[in-house]
Amino acid sequence: MLVGVGGSGRQSLTYLAGYMGQFNLKQIQISVNYGLNDFHDDLRDAMMMAAATSGDGDDGNGGGADEACGISAGEGGSPTIFLINDTQIPDETFVENLSNLLNSGEVPNMLGQEDVAAAIEAVRPAARADRAFMAGIRGKEASPEELFAYWKRRVKANLHVVLAFSPVGDSFRTRLRQFPS
């Protein structure tokens, strides 16, 4: 969490740290019609970037990368930053979903069956190459449940949520009380 008044460099610091660490970057772009489904799509994209094997996380449209800052997106399986500002939160459900993600590693009811299937297929090659994972399943073919658990572990390891909030006003204190994670 980055806390500072507007113009203090919270986003710039995140861009710089992401560039130095060669992290992927996903930031939401608010529009008039941006809603919860759009937020879930952006968060799902960031989770797929963080967990997919290299090259499989790119959906062909750049994945929301900020190419001007030299941060490239689409290389999955590497550390990924999901950056959100307090000005980009039109609905407190966004903060609740991020809190759930930070607490449990998943957002309830966000992934449909096709998303789970895509996640499983995205990590299958990495799971086969992971000796510790293969030793855990004793060399057998991994079940979909085991592969999805592996996907969630990769998301937990590689997805870094950066919240850039301003301490000015009551919304900051209210959000801290309601969503402590």
Side-chain angles (χ1 to χ4, degrees):
M1 177 181 283
L2 298 175
V3 179
V5 295
S8 62
R10 297 169 298 175
Q11 282 187 330
S12 297
L13 180 64
T14 303
Y15 288 137
L16 179 62
Y19 178 77
M20 290 174 62
Q22 297 179 344
F23 283 37
N24 297 322
L25 178 72
K26 179 72 175 174
Q27 183 174 15
I28 64 174
Q29 299 298 323
I30 295 293
S31 65
V32 174
N33 296 326
Y34 193 88
L36 187 59
N37 289 333
D38 300 313
F39 178 72
H40 281 173
D41 290 342
D42 287 337
L43 187 55
R44 185 179 310 113
D45 290 346
M47 293 170 77
M48 292 300 277
M49 274 193 272
T53 57
S54 184
D56 289 344
D58 193 2
D59 58 4
N61 67 9
D66 192 338
E67 299 295 339
C69 291
I71 300 172
S72 64
E75 294 179 4
S78 61
T80 301
I81 297 171
F82 185 72
L83 173 62
I84 187 165
N85 290 316
D86 55 353
T87 59
Q88 296 173 319
I89 302 174
D91 184 3
E92 292 302 309
T93 308
F94 291 18
V95 182
E96 181 180 0
N97 286 336
L98 290 173
S99 179
N100 286 331
L101 179 65
L102 293 171
N103 277 326
S104 66
E106 61 183 302
V107 178
N109 302 320
M110 185 179 81
L111 298 175
Q113 291 298 328
E114 58 279 347
D115 297 322
V116 171
I120 289 170
E121 290 308 313
V123 297
R124 189 179 300 274
R128 285 190 182 127
D130 187 342
R131 292 182 187 191
F133 177 76
M134 291 306 290
I137 61 171
R138 295 177 184 85
K140 300 181 297 188
E141 185 66 28
S143 70
E145 293 81 19
E146 291 167 330
L147 287 170
F148 189 62
Y150 182 75
W151 180 82
K152 287 195 292 188
R153 281 195 305 272
R154 286 178 65 120
V155 169
K156 287 179 186 179
N158 290 323
L159 183 63
H160 304 275
V161 178
V162 176
L163 305 170
F165 286 166
S166 172
V168 179
D170 291 334
S171 62
F172 177 67
R173 286 184 291 281
T174 302
R175 288 175 178 154
L176 284 179
R177 277 194 300 268
Q178 290 178 338
F179 310 106
S181 62

